[in-house]
Amino acid sequence: MRLPLAILSVLAMLCCLRRANAGQVGTLPVFISDNHADSFTWFSQVLDLDEAATLLLVDHHSDASCVERSDDVREGLRRVASVEQRRERCEAWRSAGKIQAYNWIEPLMPRPFDQVIWLAREQFSGEEASELEQEAIDAVDGRLEFEKRSAGAMARRWHVVAADQLKALKLSPRPLVASIDLDYFMEMKSPEREQRFAKIWQWLIGQPNLCALSFCLSRPWLQDEAEAQALLRVTFQAVAGVRGVRFTIRSQVDVTPDDSLQALKLKGENQAVPRWDAAALPADLRSLCVRNQSCWHFQDQQRDWTSIMKSWESALLPCTLVLADAEADSDGIYRVAQTHESILRVRALPEKASGHVRWYALEPLHPAVDLLPATGLGKTFSTHPARWVAEGRVLLAETKDAAFQLSEAQVALGRHRYLAEIQVGDVWYPTPIIEIRRTEGSGFHAGLAECFRMPYVFGIALAQDDSQQGVETGWGSDCSNFLVHAWRRSGAPLAWGDPSQVAAQLQVMAEKLRVDFQLPLPAQAEQGVAVSFGNHMAALWQDVAPVGVLTADDVFVHHLGGVPEVLPLRKLMETRPSCSVLTLRDEATCEIAFVGDCVLAEASEAEVATWSKRCEGADVVLWNLEGVPTQRPPVNGVKYDFRFDPTKLAWLQQGVTAVSLANNHAGDAGVMGLADALKQCRDHEVKALGAGVEAQAVKPLHLTSKGVKLAVFGVCCVDALVATDASPGVASLPQHQELLSAEFRAAMAAGEVIVVFVHWGEEYETKVSATQHQLAQWFLEQGVTCVAGSHPHVVQRQEFTHGGFVAYSLGNAIYPEKLQGRDSGALLRIKITSSGRMLVLP
């Protein structure tokens, strides 16, 4: 009996977790230190010591020497009460000099290292290979003559290969771990060093069973500090290109005993044995560490790396990379039409910069990746998929200008990633990475287009990177989640899943259709039409003649085993004789109208009536009410007094469902004035959101309209009168973050769709601020479906993201004539369903 794909996926995820202790699917543990003996400790922490694995050793030396009484070490690794106790034992052996750089492998054989493949040189003859292999065997079995070992001889477990033999190497299906000693690349000059590293790296990161990786700098063997920094640079840049990596940097300066040949030689020449000090990293590598600090961690018992990282962060260059005449979304991605301006610019170029800039594209190392190799299913959908999502740098140009014109190939539909390096003195500083998604059309179609050029990633539904999930991690997509992403980008919050799980969330229009079918397209076809072949899905890309009728001649797009591909449905059906046609379900829908900043202090009844009329037809109407209905005097320091006569509340009784008081003018008359304002709203039967004592302010307004259950919140994110448990104010962030989170959870548990009217941003600034972006992401992560903003007094952009919708600012609806931006307001009307699916109305 075949298990469903969903069950196999979960089983595979659990298997991956066990193998590498990696935390979550798609997490690769990586380690670096100065001394290869530290790899012994690290591997003993992250590997299952009783599961057989293959070690690929990339090293100038075999490190195959025996440990004295190594059976005691093997037993000591296993007879522990905890992983922490094992670490302590390893550190004790290191401190005593029992485990060193030349003998760290043998105590880990035959478990977990069942086999060692030593990549010793770039190339060599068969005779040289035999000599190197015999050298390693003599070392690893050297003590057997006078000291028995429970595992016996290791000779058959040790093999030697050259780098030019890697592609032909046939590995066993057991887990693969790798350890790279950077002295392998010593005395190489650039660019030979980078080319040879890249060759090994691309092969290694593509191996389907790779589950852990360590690096060693081996500073005593390197010519000088410049060579060490060059090797660290190529290593750090490679690791930074892996998605889902967990990088541990042992930054503690090594003071353990060193009886290696090189150390003894230096001591015999009365020279100090050089050691790597991570705190002395060059400035460009410091910036790389800072920008990856969420998944790069320093291991040091001697120094406080929190303070070191803060000092590095404060010294970062302010320069960033931007796309001309464009604004990034809340996830930091620029989404622009394919025809948009194609100029990259370095912003905030430092005065000391030479003006020279290197421009790089970041390209996937492999077109297909299998995050769930244990299932074997990834091979069904792609040929020789890699294990890890990784990308490498491609140098585009070096210029003397802070602007760069992209070529025609670099504006193709889909995802593009770039970074620049700025020369300051002798150092090239990297900018943060910029991601641009080139699209066409709108809604579902645009959501598909932005995924072009992404690699195929089997198992992407289970991937998680910080708070991002599925395709939203940016790692890649697969056939079904390619479509899910497009729906989420256009307002339909479908869950990630395999084809059967996605199909279960959709409505079937027709089943078991053969090639010669004709099917009328639904009126809402622009919201997405899919075909399902059972274990594969594709989406309608272009409706060709006869228009309005779905046939096998229509053009579809699908993602399978490489980058997304556009082709006639007829071509897809050559090996898939029948299909089902799916679209979004019909659901209960209500319409909500949002009105931005409304100041009634100097307003006329006619102005209010005009905006009320514009909202006619909406089932729910929400206004942001700037100012309070009270006759109490203003408090000292109020720059603009927006208090108004409470009798004006009568103008809102017809046509306005509720008003948000969660703004900076709620406190114009102080605590007592707000208390009076809330009473006046109750007396005039006007529902008010986001204000009151703390427990009241954070509560939503619960509504049910046309079968859709809503929880509507008012939240203020600028300086305002903050509600406390004893006195009225407004619901505020960050002060009420935990309380609001709890309310959001309760609303979701009750099956309510969450809507937030938020006050945020910078006044009269059309560009969305970084704080707004951060807050928008936080709201959506909390389960909010729709966020409508006010306060900037100008209209700002809108976006669908992560299955939700954000309108950053609606501008002014009713505003005093003497103030700027009086006529800037825009009405937002949306349709929302009981599942949280949204459509923005024109």
Side-chain angles (χ1 to χ4, degrees):
M1 183 180 76
R2 294 185 62 187
L3 291 173
L5 179 59
I7 296 175
L8 284 170
S9 297
V10 172
L11 291 175
M13 180 176 68
L14 294 175
C15 180
C16 290
L17 293 179
R18 176 176 173 268
R19 276 189 175 175
N21 291 330
Q24 60 193 28
V25 64
T27 300
L28 174 65
V30 181
F31 175 77
I32 189 169
S33 72
D34 186 21
N35 192 321
H36 228 155
D38 293 323
S39 296
F40 167 83
T41 302
W42 184 74
F43 277 125
S44 74
Q45 308 301 296
V46 300
L47 298 180
D48 182 340
L49 297 182
D50 295 317
E51 182 174 15
T54 297
L55 170 67
L56 178 77
L57 176 68
V58 182
D59 201 329
H60 193 71
H61 310 91
S62 72
D63 294 354
S65 295
C66 292
V67 171
E68 183 178 351
R69 300 187 62 171
S70 60
D71 275 348
D72 290 348
V73 176
R74 291 182 187 86
E75 186 175 357
L77 285 173
R78 289 160 174 79
R79 290 183 176 274
V80 293
S82 65
V83 174
E84 177 58 24
Q85 187 182 25
R86 180 183 295 155
R87 186 196 65 78
E88 291 172 355
R89 284 189 179 177
C90 291
E91 294 291 349
W93 291 326
R94 288 276 290 110
S95 298
K98 188 176 184 67
I99 302 295
Q100 296 205 36
Y102 51 80
N103 66 7
W104 68 276
I105 297 175
E106 186 257 353
L108 296 175
M109 296 177 71
R111 295 289 188 277
F113 299 157
D114 184 72
Q115 181 185 39
V116 178
I117 298 175
W118 176 25
L119 196 159
R121 304 285 187 273
E122 284 294 299
Q123 54 187 5
F124 41 58
S125 67
E127 183 179 346
E128 289 172 317
S130 296
E131 290 176 357
L132 286 169
E133 191 164 295
Q134 191 59 50
E135 171 196 313
I137 291 170
D138 289 345
V140 78
D141 287 340
R143 298 183 63 83
L144 288 182
E145 295 181 12
F146 53 88
E147 181 183 303
K148 290 185 178 181
R149 183 170 53 200
S150 60
M154 302 286 191
R156 64 181 181 82
R157 301 181 186 276
W158 206 287
H159 308 279
V160 176
V161 298
D164 61 3
Q165 299 172 331
L166 277 178
K167 288 188 177 179
L169 187 63
K170 301 297 183 183
L171 294 173
S172 72
R174 66 170 66 96
L176 173 68
V177 299
S179 193
I180 301 176
D181 194 327
L182 296 175
D183 69 7
Y184 177 91
F185 306 97
M186 66 184 178
E187 300 180 6
M188 294 182 187
K189 302 298 182 184
S190 181
E192 180 191 13
R193 174 178 52 232
E194 288 77 8
Q195 291 169 350
R196 291 190 175 183
F197 182 96
K199 175 184 174 182
I200 294 171
W201 179 253
Q202 183 165 2
W203 178 87
L204 179 61
I205 211 73
Q207 294 310 297
N209 297 327
L210 178 66
C211 64
L213 171 62
S214 80
F215 289 94
C216 174
L217 182 61
S218 289
R219 179 62 184 85
W221 287 92
L222 306 181
Q223 298 178 85
D224 51 31
E225 194 63 25
E227 183 177 50
Q229 291 181 3
L231 289 168
L232 287 169
R233 185 168 289 111
V234 71
T235 302
F236 279 31
Q237 289 174 356
V239 174
V242 182
R243 301 299 187 97
V245 75
R246 187 187 68 206
F247 190 25
T248 301
I249 302 167
R250 185 173 173 91
S251 49
Q252 187 169 314
V253 178
D254 186 21
V255 294
T256 57
D258 189 347
D259 299 328
S260 65
L261 293 177
Q262 182 68 357
L264 294 175
K265 176 176 178 287
L266 292 170
K267 292 172 185 177
E269 296 171 353
N270 293 319
Q271 295 185 49
V273 179
R275 288 300 179 194
W276 173 42
D277 184 359
L281 280 172
D284 60 324
L285 296 187
R286 293 182 186 185
S287 64
L288 204 56
C289 291
V290 170
R291 292 188 175 119
N292 289 281
Q293 60 184 301
S294 63
C295 55
W296 290 19
H297 307 288
F298 289 86
Q299 187 183 82
D300 197 329
Q301 295 179 338
Q302 299 170 342
R303 292 175 290 193
D304 176 15
W305 273 86
T306 301
S307 60
I308 292 174
M309 289 293 286
K310 285 182 179 177
S311 68
W312 288 4
E313 193 166 5
S314 65
L316 278 182
L317 290 182
C319 51
T320 57
L321 198 57
V322 298
L323 178 65
D325 302 320
E327 186 178 346
D329 285 343
S330 61
D331 56 8
I333 296 172
Y334 288 84
R335 292 179 173 87
V336 296
Q338 188 178 12
T339 55
H340 184 85
E341 183 69 61
S342 304
I343 297 177
L344 299 179
R345 297 186 187 279
V346 178
R347 180 187 291 165
L349 198 67
E351 292 182 4
K352 295 181 180 180
S354 68
H356 288 258
V357 182
R358 290 174 180 164
W359 306 88
Y360 295 89
L362 300 175
E363 298 291 348
L365 293 184
H366 302 277
V369 174
D370 182 4
L371 295 181
L372 302 171
T375 67
L377 295 172
K379 295 178 182 179
T380 304
F381 304 109
S382 54
T383 304
H384 304 300
R387 175 64 182 91
W388 301 102
V389 179
E391 58 190 7
R393 296 182 175 195
V394 178
L395 180 63
L396 301 177
E398 182 176 330
T399 69
K400 294 182 180 180
D401 192 359
F404 181 66
Q405 177 75 49
L406 296 170
S407 69
E408 184 176 345
Q410 290 151 6
V411 295
L413 281 182
R415 183 184 69 174
H416 302 262
R417 286 165 58 83
Y418 304 98
L419 65 80
E421 288 183 339
I422 318 302
Q423 187 183 40
V424 181
D426 295 330
V427 178
W428 290 88
Y429 291 86
T431 66
I433 294 169
I434 181 176
E435 184 164 322
I436 302 169
R437 307 266 180 100
R438 299 273 177 177
T439 69
E440 68 175 30
S442 60
F444 182 75
H445 188 92
L448 293 170
E450 74 170 57
C451 291
F452 282 27
R453 302 185 76 255
M454 279 188 180
Y456 177 83
V457 180
F458 181 76
I460 190 64
L462 297 172
Q464 183 164 342
D465 191 356
D466 292 330
S467 61
Q468 316 297 331
Q469 294 182 332
V471 180
E472 287 160 3
T473 60
W475 295 7
S477 67
D478 61 13
C479 71
S480 58
N481 294 291
F482 175 45
L483 276 61
V484 170
H485 177 77
W487 269 308
R488 290 172 69 87
R489 287 288 306 155
S490 56
L494 270 64
W496 309 108
D498 62 50
S500 63
Q501 292 169 323
V502 174
Q505 301 175 68
L506 301 171
Q507 179 174 304
V508 179
M509 293 177 57
E511 295 181 280
K512 299 180 180 178
L513 297 176
R514 300 289 178 174
V515 175
D516 57 352
F517 75 90
Q518 290 191 343
L519 183 70
L521 284 171
Q524 69 275 23
E526 72 280 357
Q527 295 180 37
V529 173
V531 295
S532 172
F533 303 100
N535 63 355
H536 185 52
M537 301 185 80
L540 177 63
W541 180 253
Q542 182 184 2
D543 176 23
V544 302
V547 176
V549 179
L550 189 67
T551 71
D553 293 320
D554 285 326
V555 179
F556 274 69
V557 61
H558 75 135
H559 198 177
L560 189 66
V563 295
E565 181 183 22
V566 176
L567 72 177
L569 178 59
R570 186 178 302 279
K571 185 71 175 176
L572 275 172
M573 297 187 74
E574 287 179 355
T575 55
R576 306 170 180 89
S578 69
C579 66
S580 299
V581 179
L582 310 167
T583 189
L584 294 174
R585 290 174 176 170
D586 291 329
E587 293 183 284
T589 305
C590 76
E591 184 177 329
I592 305 176
F594 296 88
V595 177
D597 294 332
C598 298
V599 178
L600 300 189
E602 299 175 17
S604 67
E605 186 173 5
E607 289 178 282
V608 173
T610 297
W611 278 90
S612 293
K613 187 171 183 62
R614 292 184 64 185
C615 297
E616 286 181 354
D619 303 301
V620 176
V621 179
L622 305 172
W623 288 30
N624 174 57
L625 190 57
E626 294 263 13
V628 284
T630 182
Q631 299 290 357
R632 288 183 175 273
V635 296
N636 294 332
V638 172
K639 184 176 181 181
Y640 298 108
D641 179 11
F642 286 169
R643 295 172 305 125
F644 62 91
D645 188 335
T647 61
K648 291 185 176 183
L649 288 172
W651 303 345
L652 306 178
Q653 290 173 339
Q654 300 298 319
V656 178
T657 307
V659 297
S660 175
L661 294 179
N663 57 63
N664 54 309
H665 288 281
D668 283 0
V671 171
M672 298 304 294
L674 179 56
D676 182 46
L678 291 167
K679 179 180 182 302
Q680 294 291 344
C681 286
R682 289 192 297 271
D683 291 347
H684 287 83
E685 298 182 345
V686 173
K687 295 182 174 67
L689 304 171
V693 293
E694 189 176 72
Q696 177 187 359
V698 299
K699 290 287 185 185
L701 172 65
H702 300 282
L703 300 171
T704 299
S705 176
K706 293 190 173 177
V708 180
K709 296 168 65 178
L710 300 170
V712 185
F713 292 80
V715 181
C716 185
C717 302
V718 299
D719 288 340
L721 180 63
V722 178
T724 70
D725 58 356
S727 62
V730 298
S732 298
L733 285 174
Q735 294 90 337
H736 297 136
Q737 180 173 321
E738 291 186 7
L739 291 173
L740 286 168
S741 291
E743 292 293 339
F744 293 153
R745 290 194 297 272
M748 286 189 290
E752 296 174 313
V753 177
I754 304 173
V755 175
V756 174
F757 214 145
V758 61
H759 215 64
W760 59 4
E762 299 175 14
E763 292 184 330
Y764 305 108
E765 177 58 66
T766 57
K767 186 175 181 180
V768 177
S769 71
T771 301
Q772 285 174 281
H773 278 154
Q774 293 165 3
L775 288 166
Q777 288 291 295
W778 183 82
F779 280 124
L780 297 174
E781 289 166 11
Q782 299 298 309
V784 176
T785 294
C786 176
V787 180
S790 59
H791 182 64
H793 303 304
V794 290
V795 174
Q796 293 178 334
R797 66 200 307 272
Q798 302 174 359
E799 65 168 309
F800 281 104
T801 180
H802 296 78
F805 173 76
V806 185
Y808 284 98
S809 176
L810 304 179
N812 294 323
I814 301 171
Y815 211 56
E817 287 187 20
K818 62 185 178 184
L819 297 179
Q820 180 182 348
R822 172 176 169 80
D823 300 321
S824 68
L827 177 67
L828 172 65
R829 297 182 76 130
I830 65 169
K831 284 189 174 181
I832 196 164
T833 71
S834 53
S835 69
R837 196 169 85 226
M838 279 189 48
L839 176 66
V840 178
L841 301 176

